[in-house]
Amino acid sequence: MGSSPGTGRSKRGHFLRAALPCLALTALGSAPAAAQSLTPDLFNPNRGGFAAPDTLPTRRTAGVPQAPSDALPALPDPNADPRGRQPAPATSRTGQTPANQVPTYGLPAANGASSSGYDSLNRKRQQPKLYPGQPKPKRAAGPGSPVPSAKPPVSTLGLPKIAPPPSETANRAPVPAAMAGTVPGQPQRRRLKADDDAFGAVGDYAGSFLIKGGLELSTGYDTNPARLNKPVGSPVYVVAPDLLVASDWERHALVADLRGSFSGYTNNMPATIDGFASPSPVEIDRPDFTGHVDGRLDVDRDFKLTSQLRLRLATDNPGSPNVQAGLQKYPIYAAYGTTLGFDQTFNRFQVAAGVTVDRTAYTNSKLTDGTISSNDDRDFNQYGGVGRFSYDLKPGLKPFVEIEGDSRVHDQPADRNGYFRDSSGGYAKVGSTFEFTRILVGEISVGYTARNYVDPRLSQLAGFLTAGSLIWNASGLTTVKFFTDTQIAESTVPGSSGVLVHTYAAEVDHDFRRWLTAVGRFTYGTYDYQNQNRNDKTYSLEGNLIYKLNRNIWVKGTLRHDILNSNVAGSSSQGTVVLVGVRLQN
């Protein structure tokens, strides 16, 4: 069956359409093949990225904006702000901003201000976002508002509230609102100074003066109160009052510190020992008082006037060779005087100087035979001056140099043994005050002291000088103290210029509890009698236990052992003292 003419033409047309491309590929197959080069432009998604930018016929020029249809949409920036803030528009190739946008330089106003910072545009602060159930913060308290409570806020998270302990509300007397400081608009009350001693005396105010007083009453036994070579004991009682008055002024200052004691013995000492007059009085009661009043007048910030009044009442030490044999009781001496000076500060340099006037006077001696012996030859006046130069090297360290000179003039030119004891002398010392973080504070100095006498038979009395005080707060419960001092004392021993006295003391205070304190003290002293080849050494070991009932009543126990060791035969002695007493203070 033959094909129709229409069908044949259709097949021939399909054949021609298929043959023409094949002939074209065959003709091109004879030309050399070339691969396309791989360049970074192949990864550029912009239109025309497959061609070099220099060969583009419609290259973008400066200042001519490109039509939006000429560029593909930009891909999202992974570093863009997720909160929807649009990045700044890109600049042109020449560094210019688009023509339809105003250029922006630097940071906008108040860009760094937080929700509570300063905003120069005075815009409204953004309120903080609170979590569900979180309490709203309260505004700061204004002037006159009561002090907020230190108790933690009550939980608002649905937890059960814990009731306060009974001690918070039990046995508490109601406090007026004015005293508690809860009256609206009431000014805050002035805070009191920190009280380091929970059982210390509080004191009372009289105007602008703080007054603290105390009285110690003790009784016990002394195995050798006269410090004899052959001990003779006696019961003893001690009455020791003290008074402290201090001003509470913004400028100037006035302080009075008065402390005294009276030691009474119920037994009398023998009038004679081995047929000779006893070196100890028959009545050995002894008073002892030390008091001084210090004043300071602040003329200006750097210049101050200073003054001091002082008084000392005492007797010669038991066992001293200055004690006259055959006495009925100890003669009492009074040493009183004053100092007037100034204190000037030049930046870190400080100068303090003053003049001193002192007098020492003895009462007459009453002998066992009823006669009276005068002690006018021991009375003298002392005139002198002292200067101190210090430099504040750094906080807590202040070195100084101190120089003193004085002259002693006796009421009688010659003493009972015919020696002229008028003299002049002084000392020079160097040292420093220091304060290291309140753990180690004090003052220490060394120097040299000398005294020359009018009588050529009395040689110069001179020696090495040590003076100072040291306080070491080893811990919150333990304190260590150290004291040292050097003095030149007068003497009635024939041929002796005087006595060079060195004293060293160490003390340890320990609190077992705030109401139970133990105090241990060791004292060592040397007495060098010039031109007499006599050297006395004293040792004293003392322990105290203090039980503090409250701020006003303390109970105190004392145990002390004294040793006097002398190179003169028959002058050494020992004694033990036991005391129990109470201290009343306010």
Side-chain angles (χ1 to χ4, degrees):
M1 182 176 177
S3 59
S4 62
T7 305
R9 288 193 298 269
S10 176
K11 290 182 178 181
R12 285 192 299 268
H14 286 294
F15 177 77
L16 291 175
R17 286 195 296 269
L20 289 177
C22 293
L23 293 175
L25 292 176
T26 303
L28 295 174
S30 60
Q36 185 181 8
S37 61
L38 185 63
T39 65
D41 294 332
L42 295 177
F43 300 98
N44 189 354
N46 298 327
R47 180 174 297 176
F50 291 94
D54 296 337
T55 60
L56 291 177
T58 58
R59 183 177 59 180
R60 183 178 180 181
T61 59
V64 180
Q66 186 178 2
S69 59
D70 294 340
L72 296 176
L75 296 177
D77 187 2
N79 297 325
D81 194 339
R83 291 172 291 183
R85 296 180 181 177
Q86 298 299 330
T91 58
S92 63
R93 294 178 57 192
T94 59
Q96 298 178 357
T97 58
N100 59 350
Q101 185 176 356
V102 179
T104 302
Y105 303 98
L107 297 175
N111 181 68
S114 64
S115 59
S116 60
Y118 173 74
D119 189 351
S120 59
L121 300 181
N122 197 21
R123 293 175 294 191
K124 185 177 180 180
R125 297 289 184 268
Q126 182 180 2
Q127 298 298 330
K129 296 182 179 180
L130 304 178
Y131 296 102
Q134 183 179 0
K136 294 183 180 181
K138 297 182 179 180
R139 295 183 178 180
S145 300
V147 180
S149 175
K151 298 181 181 179
V154 181
S155 175
T156 58
L157 300 180
L159 299 179
K161 299 181 180 179
I162 301 177
S167 59
E168 291 289 338
T169 56
N171 299 328
R172 296 292 180 89
V175 180
M179 295 295 295
T182 58
V183 176
Q186 178 186 7
Q188 296 184 5
R189 300 181 63 188
R190 185 181 63 175
R191 292 187 177 182
L192 299 178
K193 297 180 180 179
D195 190 359
D196 298 332
D197 189 358
F199 290 88
V202 178
D204 295 317
Y205 273 94
S208 59
F209 288 91
L210 176 62
I211 302 175
K212 293 184 178 182
L215 176 64
E216 290 189 17
L217 303 174
S218 304
T219 183
Y221 191 82
D222 192 340
T223 61
N224 191 7
R227 299 301 182 260
L228 299 173
N229 185 255
K230 296 180 180 180
V232 178
S234 173
V236 59
Y237 63 91
V238 179
V239 180
D242 59 83
L243 178 66
L244 176 64
V245 181
S247 63
D248 189 10
W249 301 334
E250 184 177 357
R251 293 185 56 196
H252 320 303
L254 183 63
V255 178
D257 189 358
L258 311 177
R259 302 176 184 274
S261 66
F262 179 83
S263 301
Y265 300 87
T266 59
N267 295 346
N268 292 335
M269 299 295 104
T272 60
I273 298 179
D274 298 333
F276 297 95
S278 173
S280 169
V282 176
E283 301 176 7
I284 55 176
D285 299 342
R286 293 185 294 112
D288 195 334
F289 175 83
T290 301
H292 59 89
V293 179
D294 301 327
R296 189 191 75 240
L297 180 63
D298 300 336
V299 179
D300 57 26
R301 187 188 65 177
D302 299 326
F303 184 74
K304 303 175 180 62
L305 298 178
T306 58
S307 63
Q308 183 187 73
L309 296 175
R310 50 187 172 269
L311 172 63
R312 174 73 192 278
L313 292 175
T315 64
D316 291 323
N317 294 326
S320 171
N322 294 329
V323 177
Q324 187 178 356
L327 290 174
Q328 180 65 26
K329 59 182 180 180
Y330 287 109
I332 302 174
Y333 74 85
Y336 51 92
T338 181
T339 298
L340 299 176
F342 69 90
D343 191 337
Q344 176 67 53
T345 301
F346 304 94
N347 198 356
R348 293 189 177 185
F349 184 69
Q350 185 176 7
V351 178
V355 294
T356 61
V357 179
D358 293 274
R359 176 169 176 78
T360 301
Y362 284 80
T363 60
N364 294 331
S365 299
K366 183 180 179 180
L367 304 180
T368 55
D369 57 3
T371 60
I372 302 297
S373 175
S374 175
N375 289 314
D376 293 343
D377 58 337
R378 302 185 67 180
D379 301 344
F380 65 91
N381 297 327
Q382 178 174 306
Y383 311 94
V386 60
R388 180 167 178 151
F389 309 91
S390 58
Y391 184 78
D392 196 355
L393 187 61
K394 63 179 182 179
L397 186 61
K398 192 174 184 179
F400 66 87
V401 176
E402 184 173 328
I403 302 174
E404 189 266 351
D406 61 72
S407 178
R408 295 178 179 176
V409 180
H410 287 73
D411 293 355
Q412 296 182 2
D415 66 358
R416 65 195 65 182
N417 297 311
Y419 288 90
F420 298 92
R421 294 194 172 273
D422 291 348
S423 62
S424 61
Y427 65 82
K429 61 182 180 180
V430 296
S432 176
T433 61
F434 47 86
E435 177 180 352
F436 301 114
T437 65
R438 301 301 299 173
I439 296 179
L440 185 64
V441 298
E443 174 181 320
I444 193 72
S445 61
V446 296
Y448 188 79
T449 180
R451 180 163 294 279
N452 298 315
Y453 293 84
V454 174
D455 198 322
R457 295 172 294 176
L458 302 176
S459 62
Q460 183 188 54
L461 179 59
F464 183 69
L465 180 150
T466 58
S469 62
L470 180 66
I471 300 177
W472 174 38
N473 296 313
S475 67
L477 302 176
T478 305
T479 302
V480 181
K481 303 177 183 179
F482 176 77
F483 307 95
T484 178
D485 189 23
T486 302
Q487 294 181 356
I488 292 181
E490 295 288 320
S491 176
T492 59
V493 178
S496 177
S497 303
V499 188
L500 184 63
V501 182
H502 291 279
T503 305
Y504 308 91
E507 180 179 310
V508 179
D509 301 353
H510 181 73
D511 295 334
F512 296 102
R513 294 290 187 271
R514 293 193 301 173
W515 42 266
L516 185 62
T517 303
V519 180
R521 183 183 179 93
F522 175 75
T523 304
Y524 171 74
T526 60
Y527 296 79
D528 183 11
Y529 293 84
Q530 191 75 15
N531 298 333
Q532 289 298 311
N533 294 325
R534 174 168 179 165
N535 295 309
D536 294 349
K537 297 180 181 180
T538 60
Y539 308 87
S540 179
L541 184 61
E542 179 180 350
N544 297 274
L545 187 63
I546 304 174
Y547 178 72
K548 305 173 183 179
L549 297 176
N550 49 47
R551 287 183 178 270
N552 303 113
I553 302 177
W554 294 2
V555 179
K556 181 179 179 181
T558 302
L559 176 63
R560 187 179 75 247
H561 185 71
D562 300 332
I563 300 175
L564 173 60
N565 187 8
S566 177
N567 60 352
V568 177
S571 298
S572 300
S573 63
Q574 295 188 24
T576 303
V577 182
V578 179
L579 295 174
V580 177
V582 61
R583 174 177 174 82
L584 308 176
Q585 63 183 13
N586 183 30

